[in-house]
Amino acid sequence: PTARRSPSPIVIIDKLVCDDTTLFFISSRPGKDPLDFDIHDLVLTDVGAGQPFAFRGNLTNAKPKGEIATQGEFGSWDSDQPGNSPVSGTYQFTHADLNPFPGIGGILSSTGKFNGPLDRLGVDGQTDTSDFSIDPVGRGVPLHTDFSATVNGTDGDTFLHPVRALLGKSLIIANGSVVLVRAKHGHQIDLDVTAPGARLQDILSLAVKADKPPMTGTIKLRTKLMIAPSKDKVVDKLHLDGDFDADDARFTSATVRDKLQSLSRHAMGQPTNQEAGSAISDLKGHFRLENGVITFTRLNFSVEGVAILLDGTYNMHGGELNFRGDLKLNATISQTMTGWKSTLAKPFDPLFKKGGSGTVLPITITGTREDPVFGVSIFHKSFKKQMNTQKPQQ
């Protein structure tokens, strides 16, 4: 007779302690590098075949470098489909230094919880970075995020749905993915980003180092964001393609506000009325950021009586401006002037009328962010004026 095999003994380990060990997750997807974690101390309890076990551990995350404390329950282990093995728990991620990432800075902390099969983990949590910055172009701004994501615990691919970020006091909502690109040894970030009513001063603080941003107001923003894996600074590998609308923008410089109000008075045909005119502007258009240069199309800037339509570029590194377009005034050329100048200009009014505007003039904006130069062409002659001086250039 065939001998009966004795059943395998049931072995349960009450406590398993591992110090200074490395945990590897091998991806089932061809070409994917394993995900590994260096663990200072790991404690497993009630470990046995075919049953879940509890864990708690502390590890150092390599990039961004910071300490992670986690605890929860794992298993039971699915040997046929390891990615189907369930896991749940909580984590604390502290003092994560973002500065080693080229082009950004700040110290991040995060807490959250996770639950689900290993290759489809649902993760919910929050992060805080008190001084998030894009170096070398901007200043530190507080950044808080609440996020919900699906994470593949075997290779680190992350799908965000959504992230609600508070930059300063501005709400920004993002959906998308963070996926490892093996050939480039890094992750590619693809996001759809909307800001339904952000503050201009919060957004501009990331791009301007000045103590106070050049403009304040409310901005509506919608853009696609992509960061390719490379060792370049974030500002150089960041790609944006979107639209914005700021309908109540105000310049913080008193000099700029005075000049805008004066322009508005003249454009309304009331050059001597000191009560007329406005420095509150509307600003909207399409933008594309690539290699640290923002290209604007259909950029529309207006104050009462004036509309400026521009296309051009802005270099985020040096602040260089290069814009061309049209200046449209409600008033005719003669109405912008007083006295004998108005009388002399009146015969030329029809020459500058176009498309329902009283006056249309070709303009340029060049120079730099700190020292812009405005140019106007009249009868093929160009007149330029620096914003910070009274001396005209020809």
Side-chain angles (χ1 to χ4, degrees):
T2 304
R4 287 188 175 182
R5 298 181 60 185
S6 301
S8 301
I10 298 175
V11 178
I12 297 177
I13 302 173
D14 181 58
K15 180 181 288 187
L16 183 62
V17 178
C18 305
D19 293 326
D20 298 323
T21 188
T22 301
L23 176 64
F24 286 93
F25 288 103
I26 308 298
S27 175
S28 61
R29 294 165 59 183
K32 278 282 188 178
D33 289 333
L35 190 66
D36 61 278
F37 297 93
D38 292 324
I39 303 175
H40 305 317
D41 57 86
L42 176 64
V43 178
L44 312 178
T45 56
D46 297 328
V47 181
Q51 69 177 41
F53 60 84
F55 67 86
R56 58 180 172 84
N58 296 281
L59 59 146
T60 298
N61 192 64
K63 198 172 183 180
K65 189 172 183 179
E67 298 301 310
I68 299 176
T70 182
Q71 61 181 2
E73 186 176 85
F74 184 88
S76 60
W77 176 255
D78 189 329
S79 57
D80 295 325
Q81 296 290 333
N84 288 337
S85 303
V87 62
S88 62
T90 61
Y91 74 88
Q92 289 182 314
F93 188 20
T94 58
H95 204 74
D97 188 358
L98 301 179
N99 288 285
F101 289 102
I104 63 173
I107 302 298
L108 175 144
S109 62
S110 178
T111 59
K113 58 183 180 179
F114 49 89
N115 183 61
L118 187 59
D119 61 1
R120 299 182 304 281
L121 272 177
V123 183
D124 296 282
Q126 61 183 19
T127 72
D128 283 286
T129 310
S130 60
D131 54 352
F132 178 76
S133 65
I134 298 179
D135 181 66
V137 296
R139 301 172 61 241
V141 182
L143 175 64
H144 172 87
T145 68
D146 294 291
F147 65 88
S148 175
T150 300
V151 179
N152 187 332
T154 67
D155 59 22
D157 286 354
T158 302
F159 300 88
L160 305 169
H161 45 77
V163 173
R164 295 174 64 88
L166 199 63
L167 180 70
K169 296 182 179 180
S170 298
L171 175 64
I172 300 173
I173 302 171
N175 294 273
S177 63
V178 182
V179 176
L180 180 66
V181 181
R182 183 172 180 269
K184 296 186 177 180
H185 304 286
H187 290 79
Q188 176 158 318
I189 302 173
D190 290 286
L191 300 175
D192 291 315
V193 180
T194 60
R199 302 195 313 170
L200 263 172
Q201 53 267 46
D202 292 333
I203 304 297
L204 291 175
S205 289
L206 290 177
V208 179
K209 279 187 175 292
D211 291 337
K212 63 179 181 179
M215 300 179 75
T216 63
T218 304
I219 184 171
K220 298 176 183 177
L221 175 70
R222 183 180 296 274
T223 184
K224 289 188 175 296
L225 179 153
M226 191 271 282
I227 301 178
S230 77
K231 294 182 179 180
D232 295 333
K233 288 183 177 293
V234 168
V235 71
D236 292 316
K237 62 183 179 181
L238 174 64
H239 292 242
L240 296 173
D241 192 346
D243 298 279
F244 67 94
D245 186 348
D247 57 11
D248 63 346
R250 293 170 172 83
F251 282 87
T252 56
S253 167
T255 300
V256 174
R257 291 197 302 269
D258 290 345
K259 289 181 180 294
L260 283 177
Q261 190 163 4
S262 175
L263 173 63
S264 178
R265 285 197 299 270
H266 285 77
M268 295 167 61
Q270 304 179 51
T272 61
N273 183 358
Q274 296 299 312
E275 301 301 320
S278 173
I280 299 176
S281 56
D282 294 337
L283 182 64
K284 60 184 177 181
H286 180 83
F287 66 95
R288 183 179 179 86
L289 171 62
E290 193 169 8
N291 298 321
V293 177
I294 308 178
T295 300
F296 291 94
T297 55
R298 307 189 305 276
L299 181 61
N300 187 323
F301 175 81
S302 61
V303 293
E304 191 174 5
V306 185
I308 301 175
L309 307 178
L310 296 168
D311 294 315
T313 60
Y314 168 67
N315 189 312
M316 292 187 68
H317 289 291
E320 293 88 358
L321 306 166
N322 186 11
F323 290 90
R324 296 180 182 277
D326 290 322
L327 172 68
K328 297 184 177 183
L329 311 179
N330 289 353
T332 62
I333 280 286
S334 63
Q335 289 172 336
T336 67
M337 304 176 186
T338 59
W340 61 271
K341 291 182 180 180
S342 176
T343 302
L344 289 178
K346 198 167 187 63
F348 299 100
D349 284 347
L351 298 177
F352 297 98
K353 288 184 177 182
K354 186 179 179 180
S357 297
T359 304
V360 178
L361 298 172
I363 66 165
T364 61
I365 302 177
T366 55
T368 65
R369 176 182 62 238
E370 292 81 10
D371 196 12
V373 178
F374 293 83
V376 178
S377 296
I378 302 176
F379 296 132
H380 305 290
K381 204 168 187 179
S382 180
F383 298 88
K384 295 183 179 181
K385 188 171 185 178
Q386 289 180 294
M387 200 67 174
N388 296 328
T389 69
Q390 301 297 321
K391 182 180 178 180
Q393 302 176 4
Q394 183 170 327

